Amino acid sequence: MNIPAKRSQICTALKKQKVNFALLQETHFRSGHVPCMSKSTFNQWFHAPSCSGSSRGVSIAIHKNTPMVISSTFSDRDGRFIFIKGSIGTRTITLGSIYAPNVGQVDWLCRTLSTFQEFAEGIIILGGDINVALDPLIDTSGGTSSLSYGALRRIRTGLASTGLVDSWRTLNPSVKDFTFYSGVHKSYQRLDYLFVPPNLLSTCQNTSIGSILLSDHAPVFLDLQFSFLPKPQYMWRLDGTILSHPDNVKDIRKCLLEYFSTNESGEVQLSTVWEAHKAVVRDHLISLCSHLRKQRESKIP
């Protein structure tokens, strides 16, 4: 994410998926070289850049329509984790983004989970790349792990003591899907997780693993329906470029002619007919813009 074009692509992808909270890893920001990103669709950013290089880094981004007031943050100097805590109205929310090392991850995860447990309050969501397939039989294509079952048991015990469950696996108990492909080992693995308390799963509408497009990992999505989150208010604006195409102008003119020929009967005051036509043509333009956008997207390889 230290490349402007990459940052723009990621923010566009998050916006398209209607993401409220984004937990990001391997941002590659170095300490003292974190760009200002508050003017994007996500106006609240919290970073833990690496002090020892640009190979790590984790961040949390909050959508501008999510009115979360942050009360405290906690992160490490190695760019491995960042925790934030705040409130939306009267509800407290704690978010954590973690990126475990690929060596010694068991001890690191146990320490980090303990730290997170002390920090966390209210609604809790912890996510990231833990560099471990928790159940090798179904979380790897080869069915094996470099870690012993005793080490994997320690991680699961640490998660249980923190009161967290693997949301995707809990809701997809027998499905095989992966978030990472190792070219070295020629294998697929599920290394990226979203952990939540079990009682939060009752608010879950959907959970899914996306495609590997913008990085070497696939994103994991969790759709939680919180009644206390305000519904976003969107103001539609006309894309003026559609008026530069004769076919679009002809289509709009046809809509207007049909409307006025149908409603200028004398039974309704002309002032009412005029005011009502604005809503009709607006709906027609929204439909036209949506149709043209879908056409453009279908042509993108």
Side-chain angles (χ1 to χ4, degrees), residues 226-244:
F226 293 136
S227 59
F228 57 87
L229 275 178
K231 296 187 181 300
Q233 300 294 321
Y234 297 105
M235 181 178 290
W236 178 81
R237 296 179 186 274
L238 173 65
D239 179 4
T241 59
I242 70 170
L243 300 178
S244 62

Side-chain angles (χ1 to χ4, degrees), residues 16 291-301:
K16 187 175 181 179
H291 174 69
L292 294 172
R293 186 183 68 253
K294 290 177 181 178
Q295 279 188 332
R296 289 194 301 270
E297 291 176 350
S298 67
K299 296 178 182 178
I300 298 175

